[in-house]
Each structure stands twice: as C-alpha cells, then as structure tokens.
Amino acid sequence: MKRRFLTVSAALVAATALTGCSRLAGSEGGPRKVTLWLMKGSASDEFITRFTDSFEKEHPGIDLEVKIQEWNGIGKKVDAVLDGKSTESADVIEVGNTQVAQYVENGGIEELTLEGLREWGSKDWLRGLSDPGTIDGAQYGVPWYAANRVVIYNKDLFANAGVKALPKNRQEWIQATQKLDKGDQQGIYLPGQNWYVLAGFVWDEGGELAVETSGQWVGTLDDEKALAGMEFYKQLQALGDGPKGADEETPPQSEVFARGQVAQIIAPPSQAAAIEAANPALKGKIGFFPIPGKTSDKVGSVFTGGSDLIIPERTRDRRGAVDVITALVSEKWQTELARTMSYVPNKTTLAHVVQGNEGAATMAPGAAQGRATPKSARWAEVEAKNPIKPFMTAVLTGQDPKQAARTASEEISKVLGSDH
C-alpha cells in the first residue's frame, strides 16, 4: 500500500478542557488535541469523517486530528515518535499486527493490559491480532481489524466440472481440484512461493515456522510436521500451472484468474474487485469458500493480516488516547469499519456483523482461529531475506525436502538470533 501522503484534520470543537491528568494537552484552557495516525487504505475518508465527528461530539473537550500515513517507510517514522526524535507527535498509532514486537523491543510503547481486560473485552479478541501484540504476557497492541486468505473460485468452471458441493476438507479439495484441472484449464493457480499459504498448512499439521526456546528463536521448517505441510502444498500446487519460482505477485494472480481459465486462487476476498475490473464478464461468477482443513469440522489455519493500535509512552494525553481506542474497538465502529471495508472485526463475538458481505463472511471462520508470524522483533528481517521462498521452490523442483528445509531453518535461526 504505497500511496501518497494525505492528512485529514478534524474541525476544532470549542469546549472546556478536562483536568486531573498529568499528561493532558491544552490543560490551561481550550480543547485538547489528540492525534491518531492511520495507514493509507485502512479506512475510507467517509469512515474517518463520520468517526471523527462522532468522537468529538461524545468528547467535547477533545479535538481529534487524524493523520494518514504511508506504509512505505512507516517503521522509521514510528520509531522516531517512540524515542522522541520526531518533529511530529502521535497519541494513537495504527501498526501492522506483526510489527508490534519490533516496536516493543525498541521501547516507548504504553502497556495496555488492564484496559484490554476491563474496557475492551480482550478475552474475545482474534488470536491472530492479539497474540502478536502481547509480549511477555503484557498487552501493547490492541486488535483493530483483520483480513485473511480464502479460496476464490470461478462458479462457471466448478459447475462445468460437475463440482456441486464446495469442499469442506483437504481430501474433498484435492478431488474437486483434480476434476477442475483439465486441458488448458487450471484446477488451481498456486505460485510456488506463496509462503503465507504454506504457513497455514504447516500450522494445520501442528508445525511452526520458528519457535522460541530458552529465549532463543530457531527455525523449524525441517520439523516433520512442517514438512508435512509442505508436502500438501506440493500436492495442491501440481494441479495447476503456477510458477514454481515466483510468488503470488509475479505476475499478480488476480490477473491470471481474470483470464477465465483458472478455477481457484488463494487470496483475500478483496482481490475479487481487481478480477472483475480486469474482466467484467466474470462479475457475478466469482465465489468464495474458507480454505479447507484436514477434517470437515474445522476450516484450515490462515495467516491473519491486519492492524493493531498502540499508544506511545510520550503521548500528551493518555486518557484521550485510551478514549480513541475505546471508540475504535467498540461494537458500533467495528461494525461500521467491517461493513465499509469488508474486514473481519477484532472479536470472534462480532463475526455476525459481516454476514451480509460474502467475502468478509467467508474470512470470518478462518480468522477465528487465525495465526500470525513468530513474535520475534527480527521477523521482519526474515521476511526481507525470506529463505522460505527458495525452500519451497527447491521442494517443488524435486530437491530433497529435508535438506532444503534444514538450510532454510538455519538461515531463519541466524537472522532471529542476530544482535543489534
């Protein structure tokens, strides 16, 4: 999401300032300004305007300023705010759910464990959002919204192949995909390096990408359970012509699907819009179903993408920042955001609010048991080098899986164990 910087400032609301907190901005009179950083594309302009107006009406002593930030380069900007070296300030910041550990290690984030328990219903939070925000038992990142991958399918191709019932488990999925993979038609387009999809298969087998033992992180792709996940990936990937040495963006898989000869891809439901834009003839012919699990009683594990909210220790107004988060994670605004942006709400108990949205409703079962990447502050560096991708290609091209996995695991361990 590399887009142009945009700032949305709320209108000033004249009110008497609240007192009694050691960190209140504007405590000598006039409204207190609370600044919220949101990422470009996370919420629509309309949502931001309605939320700001509502919040200021309910909190007449606060002027809420919303600043929209670019994902590109955001890490350095957030670190600068957290360590007090920035010319800008923020009281609440949206961050990627897997970024929290890195920011916590660098320091400067408020702990929000008690607020989570008392005010925000943390017991019902999606694990894929809450776990990455929890470090050593303390909550720093507050789940805001989630999105995850599902199977996007071509209804006409399913009907033509005689696939009447959507698959509920892996065996049914393989059988249906075998029927769909014929002639110039691909049963599934699964590029060889879609490691987010592989992670779900590994978790389904009880494996992990990496584990922490006695304070030391080590890669575990060479574990038998992780290798079983890779073996299923290989079996599924063979039922199409996805490139073994490329990921889902090379080329964009939505473009491949839009050509009309691919029965399935694994992607967030939001890609349906890109597919229909590329090929309007597919409008109304695209369907969704959760990634099947090993058995019919449980959908497949998925990587949970999405965002958490953090409060810098240097906030000028902690109470105001907490109030902003309280509003953003309330049922009212979680419902508004989910319906507006086709997200999954931050709680399992709110999954029902997206029932009218086919794509979001299909994500919800997976999100309820979704996972995130290992909670190491170094994990972003693993993704930058990404030894998982060449491991996958090696296995798909016939190399020894155990040896390829061992090489990748050693590289993961090396990166995660590095000192800064």
Side-chain angles (χ1 to χ4, degrees):
M1 292 187 282
K2 301 178 181 178
R3 301 179 178 90
R4 189 174 55 190
F5 183 89
L6 171 68
T7 300
V8 180
S9 261
L12 292 176
V13 178
T16 302
L18 299 179
T19 59
C21 176
S22 62
R23 286 187 281 176
L24 288 184
S27 57
E28 295 181 357
R32 298 143 48 198
K33 184 169 78 170
V34 176
T35 301
L36 166 64
W37 281 15
L38 296 182
M39 301 310 299
K40 181 69 174 177
S42 290
S44 67
D45 291 345
E46 180 185 3
F47 174 90
I48 293 170
T49 298
R50 286 189 288 109
F51 175 79
T52 301
D53 291 345
S54 174
F55 182 85
E56 290 184 336
K57 184 177 181 180
E58 294 175 6
H59 301 81
I62 296 179
D63 163 28
L64 179 62
E65 178 186 49
V66 181
K67 291 187 175 181
I68 306 302
Q69 305 287 350
E70 296 273 5
W71 282 106
N72 188 30
I74 189 60
K76 291 182 178 179
K77 291 193 69 172
V78 172
D79 283 335
V81 169
L82 297 180
D83 65 20
K85 296 180 180 179
S86 176
T87 57
E88 300 182 83
S89 63
D91 301 294
V92 180
I93 303 175
E94 175 195 352
V95 300
N97 59 324
T98 60
Q99 297 176 327
V100 179
Q102 179 180 345
Y103 294 135
V104 171
E105 182 184 68
N106 293 343
I109 300 181
E110 284 281 316
E111 181 185 339
L112 299 167
T113 308
L114 291 180
E115 285 86 356
L117 291 169
R118 294 172 178 172
E119 302 180 43
W120 301 327
S122 59
K123 66 181 179 62
D124 296 320
W125 282 342
L126 297 178
R127 179 184 173 191
L129 293 179
S130 63
D131 277 6
T134 307
I135 309 297
D136 296 329
Q139 195 75 41
Y140 295 92
V142 180
W144 189 30
Y145 69 83
N148 51 264
R149 289 161 179 78
V150 300
V151 181
I152 300 177
Y153 74 99
N154 185 313
K155 294 179 180 179
D156 283 354
L157 298 187
F158 267 57
N160 294 340
V163 180
K164 299 178 181 179
L166 297 176
K168 300 291 186 182
N169 57 57
R170 281 188 184 178
Q171 183 178 3
E172 293 177 358
W173 194 16
I174 291 293
Q175 290 173 345
T177 306
Q178 287 172 335
K179 289 183 179 180
L180 292 158
D181 189 41
K182 56 185 179 181
D184 294 332
Q185 179 178 298
Q186 298 184 55
I188 188 169
Y189 179 82
L190 181 59
Q193 296 184 346
N194 195 332
W195 71 275
Y196 287 115
V197 172
L198 171 64
F201 297 162
V202 169
W203 293 328
D204 277 344
E205 296 290 348
E208 300 288 347
L209 304 179
V211 297
E212 185 180 20
T213 304
S214 302
Q216 185 72 28
W217 283 93
V218 294
T220 51
L221 286 174
D222 53 339
D223 177 83
E224 292 301 324
K225 293 176 180 178
L227 286 169
M230 183 63 221
E231 176 57 32
F232 178 72
Y233 190 102
K234 181 179 181 179
Q235 184 182 3
L236 187 65
Q237 199 272 341
L239 299 176
D241 300 324
K244 294 178 172 60
D247 63 20
E248 65 274 22
E249 293 300 323
T250 315
Q253 60 181 349
S254 59
E255 294 180 5
V256 180
F257 186 93
R259 296 169 193 162
Q261 291 300 305
V262 169
Q264 307 168 83
I265 57 173
I266 301 173
S270 57
Q271 287 201 10
I275 293 168
E276 292 176 354
N279 184 358
L282 289 178
K283 190 172 182 63
K285 299 180 179 180
I286 297 173
F288 314 92
F289 61 88
I291 296 173
K294 295 186 71 174
T295 56
S296 299
D297 60 338
K298 190 176 182 180
V299 300
S301 297
V302 292
F303 167 76
T304 300
S307 288
D308 283 10
L309 301 167
I310 63 171
I311 297 178
E313 288 181 347
R314 296 176 184 273
T315 175
R316 301 159 301 182
D317 189 340
R318 190 183 193 282
R319 183 64 251 173
V322 168
D323 287 344
V324 169
I325 292 180
T326 299
L328 285 171
V329 302
S330 67
E331 181 171 353
K332 173 185 177 181
W333 290 106
Q334 281 288 294
T335 300
E336 289 281 333
L337 184 68
R339 290 178 176 174
T340 300
M341 304 300 295
S342 295
Y343 293 147
V344 177
N346 70 345
K347 293 181 179 179
T348 56
T349 52
L350 293 177
H352 66 278
V353 306
V354 293
Q355 287 306 310
N357 183 308
E358 185 183 1
T362 304
M363 284 193 291
Q369 60 183 48
R371 299 276 301 275
T373 48
K375 289 192 292 184
S376 166
R378 302 274 92 79
W379 186 258
E381 297 168 42
V382 172
E383 292 192 23
K385 295 184 177 180
N386 216 324
I388 304 174
K389 289 185 173 183
F391 154 65
M392 297 173 71
T393 298
V395 175
L396 295 175
T397 54
Q399 297 181 40
D400 179 59
K402 187 75 173 180
Q403 182 56 50
R406 186 176 297 114
T407 299
S409 294
E410 290 173 353
E411 181 63 25
I412 291 172
S413 300
K414 180 180 178 181
V415 175
L416 296 182
S418 64
D419 294 324
H420 282 200

